[in-house]
Amino acid sequence: MSGADPETVTAPGATPGAAGDAGPRTLISEADISARVDVLAERISRDYVEAGAEEILLVGVLRGAFIFLADLSRRLTVPCAVDFISVSSYRGSQQAGDVRLILDVRSSLKDRHVLLVEDIVDSGHTLDYLLRTFGARGPASLKTCVLTRKPGSMEVEVPLDYLGFDIPDEWVVGYGLDLADKHRTLPYIGTVTPEE
Ligand code: IMP
Ligand code: MG
């Protein structure tokens, strides 16, 4: 499936949040996220069963993917193991696409069916780096599952096997995503302007 454009859902425009104009404006509601995670979990389970995989190794990218991974993993009907990594990227004045692994997986990826779980693809550099790095470790398979994508911002083409939503090119928070470590625990995905 890698290489093909994955099926996705385009998020509608943001509407004011429950707190009126004060907080993040809802872009994707809790119910819509939940329904989409159900669909993704069903597809992933079906595909890996068809491929004869006995176990999936879910690798979540900290910190943004922790909630998505927690919900997704509990809806998979295929046995799975869970591991996490953390990366840092240098933006702005620094070299574009300079991504570094600052916390590696504890598990060996050799001969495992690895599914990278990420909150958002923006430029694509993070996922591109991770696919190259982990692809060199001899996994039985290596796929990606991404909750949101900003299609207008991608600088490198990365294969997305499973994708939740296409979203506008705005800063989004909630459901694991943050702005300077704020708003991560909101149950929905919302948009904020940088000063919020
Ligand atoms: P990329 O390497 O440009 O694709 O960036 C991916 C990473 O940037 C994600 O894992 C997030 O940590 C962060 N990011 C990009 N856009 C947003 C956003 O709108 N909200 C929160 N984090 C974001
Ligand atoms: Mg991230």
Side-chain angles (χ1 to χ4, degrees), residues 61-65 118-120:
V61 185
L62 292 173
R63 284 168 279 179
E118 182 50 315
D119 52 359
I120 188 163

Side-chain angles (χ1 to χ4, degrees), residues 56-59 82-85 101 104-116 130-142:
I56 307 174
L57 174 59
L58 300 173
V59 175
V82 172
D83 209 331
F84 289 97
I85 55 168
L101 199 56
D104 204 344
V105 283
R106 296 180 66 176
S107 331
S108 163
L109 305 188
K110 182 107 186 76
D111 301 329
R112 312 281 296 273
H113 291 282
V114 178
L115 181 60
L116 276 169
L130 291 173
L131 284 170
R132 281 186 284 112
T133 305
F134 290 163
R137 296 189 189 178
S141 68
L142 178 59

Side-chain angles (χ1 to χ4, degrees), residues 61 89 91 99 118-127 150 170-173 177-178:
V61 185
S89 54
R91 290 159 181 263
V99 182
E118 182 50 315
D119 52 359
I120 188 163
V121 175
D122 187 5
S123 71
H125 287 295
T126 304
L127 217 48
K150 296 179 185 172
E170 290 173 63
W171 198 262
V172 292
V173 295
L177 292 146
D178 73 306

